[in-house]
Amino acid sequence: MSILTEISENLQKGKAKIVKELVMQAVEQGYAPEEILSKGLLDGMNIIGEKFKANEVYVPEVLVAARAMNVGSQVLKPYLEQAGVKAVGRVCIGTVQGDLHDIGKNLVKMMMEGKGLEVIDLGTDVAPETFIQTAIEQNCQIICCSALLTTTMGVMGEVVKKAEEAGIRDKVKIMIGGAPVDEAFCRQIGADCYTPDAASAADAAAAFCAAN
Ligand code: B1M
C-alpha cells in the first residue's frame, strides 16, 4: 500500500497522530506537498464525505476525521508555503454566518499563504458586517467567503450588499467558494469570482493582487 493510501485510510479512521507521522514520512520520502494533500488527506476526507452522505458514518466519525485532516494539513503548511513568494497582497477569509465548516476554508487559506498572500482568518460563523469592517480596517484587497450549507450560502449575497452600502464595492473584490456554490450563483449575487477548489482560489487571488 502506498504511503498516500495509508494517509487516506488512517484519516478516515480519525487517527490524527498516525496521519501526522505518515505525512512527515511522505515529505521525507520526497512526495510533493500538493500530492500528499490531494491524494492522501483530501482523498480520505472525500471518502468520509461520501460515507456521511450515505449514512455509513455519523458526525463523531466525521469530526475525528476532520481533526486528523487539520493535523495533517498543519504539518504540510510550511512546505506549501515554501513555494510562495513575498506578500503580494492582503485578504480576509471566513466561513459565513451560521456555518461551522472550516476544513475547506482552512485549505484555501493555506494555499493562499503558499502563494505569498497575507491572510486574515476570521474563522467560522462570520457575520457580513465583520467581513466588511475587517476589509476596511485592515485594508484588504479581497474578501473571501466560504459556505458549505445551502442554508448559509445566501449570506454571501449579504456580504456583497453590505460592501455596496459601505461604499467599498469598487475597492474590494469578493471571492466565493464551497461545495453548494457555483459560477451562476456568483453572478446572481454580484460577487466577483467563484473558484471550485483551494488551489484555483489561491491562483485567482494572487493574480488579482499582483495586477492591482
Ligand atoms: Co457537515 N454537511 N454538517 N459537518 N459536512 C456537509 C457540508 C453535507 C453536504 C453532508 C451531507 O449531508 N452530505 C451537508 C450539507 C447539505 C446541504 O446544505 N445541502 C452537511 C450538513 C447538513 C451538516 C449539519 C447541518 C449536520 C447536522 O448537524 N445535522 C451540520 C451543520 C453545522 C453548521 O455548520 N452549522 C454539519 C456539521 C458538520 C461537522 C461539524 C460534523 C463537520 C465539520 C467539521 C469542520 O469543518 N471543522 C462536517 C463535515 C466534515 C462535512 C462533510 C462530510 C465534509 C466537508 C469538508 O470538510 N469537505 C460534508 C460532506 C461533503 O462535503 N461531502 C458535510 C472537505 C473540504 C476540503 O471541502 O469545504 O467543500 P470543502 O472545500 C473545498 C471547495 O469547496 C473549495 O476548496 C476546498 C477544496 O479545495 N472551497 C473554496 C471551500 N471554500 C472556498 C472558498 C473559496 C474558494 C474555494 O473562495 C473564497
Side-chain angles (χ1 to χ4, degrees):
M1 189 195 301
S2 94
I3 192 160
L4 300 180
T5 311
E6 276 189 73
I7 292 172
S8 167
E9 291 193 350
N10 279 284
L11 183 143
Q12 292 168 51
K13 292 180 195 147
K15 307 239 181 246
K17 204 171 157 217
I18 297 177
V19 167
K20 185 179 178 182
E21 281 160 11
L22 287 169
V23 170
M24 286 192 294
Q25 278 176 33
V27 170
E28 279 160 18
Q29 288 175 20
Y31 283 91
E34 293 85 354
E35 196 182 6
I36 302 171
L37 181 64
S38 64
K39 295 191 183 153
L41 298 173
L42 280 176
D43 181 78
M45 204 61 223
N46 284 337
I47 294 171
I48 278 290
E50 289 307 311
K51 287 187 173 168
F52 189 44
K53 213 190 293 181
N55 289 325
E56 289 169 20
V57 298
Y58 299 95
V59 172
E61 287 97 324
V62 175
L63 272 179
V64 288
R67 196 175 55 208
M69 169 89 201
N70 278 328
V71 168
S73 305
Q74 282 308 313
V75 176
L76 278 185
K77 189 176 172 190
Y79 299 99
L80 289 164
E81 282 172 1
Q82 264 172 23
V85 285
K86 79 176 175 59
V88 291
R90 184 180 291 165
V91 314
C92 60
I93 189 167
T95 306
V96 299
Q97 197 161 43
D99 202 324
L100 302 174
H101 295 85
D102 66 356
I103 298 168
K105 184 265 297 169
N106 291 343
L107 279 176
V108 174
K109 176 190 171 191
M110 235 164 61
M111 293 293 208
M112 286 186 172
E113 287 175 341
K115 286 271 165 193
L117 290 160
E118 192 183 332
V119 183
I120 299 165
D121 187 356
L122 300 171
T124 58
D125 193 18
V126 181
E129 294 79 6
T130 308
F131 283 107
I132 306 307
Q133 202 184 339
T134 307
I136 295 170
E137 288 173 5
Q138 304 285 334
N139 211 13
C140 298
Q141 284 127 299
I142 310 176
I143 292 174
C144 300
C145 302
S146 178
L148 262 286
L149 298 171
T150 46
T151 49
T152 59
M153 58 194 267
V155 177
M156 293 168 161
E158 290 301 311
V159 175
V160 176
K161 276 194 203 132
K162 296 277 178 206
E164 278 160 10
E165 284 166 21
I168 61 163
R169 191 65 193 91
D170 56 341
K171 299 182 193 76
V172 181
K173 288 274 173 211
I174 299 177
M175 286 181 61
I176 65 166
V181 180
D182 61 15
E183 184 64 48
F185 179 72
C186 179
R187 280 197 301 274
Q188 184 195 319
I189 63 168
D192 297 298
C193 176
Y194 158 76
T195 50
D197 56 61
S200 50
D203 285 344
F208 171 74
C209 288
N212 287 275

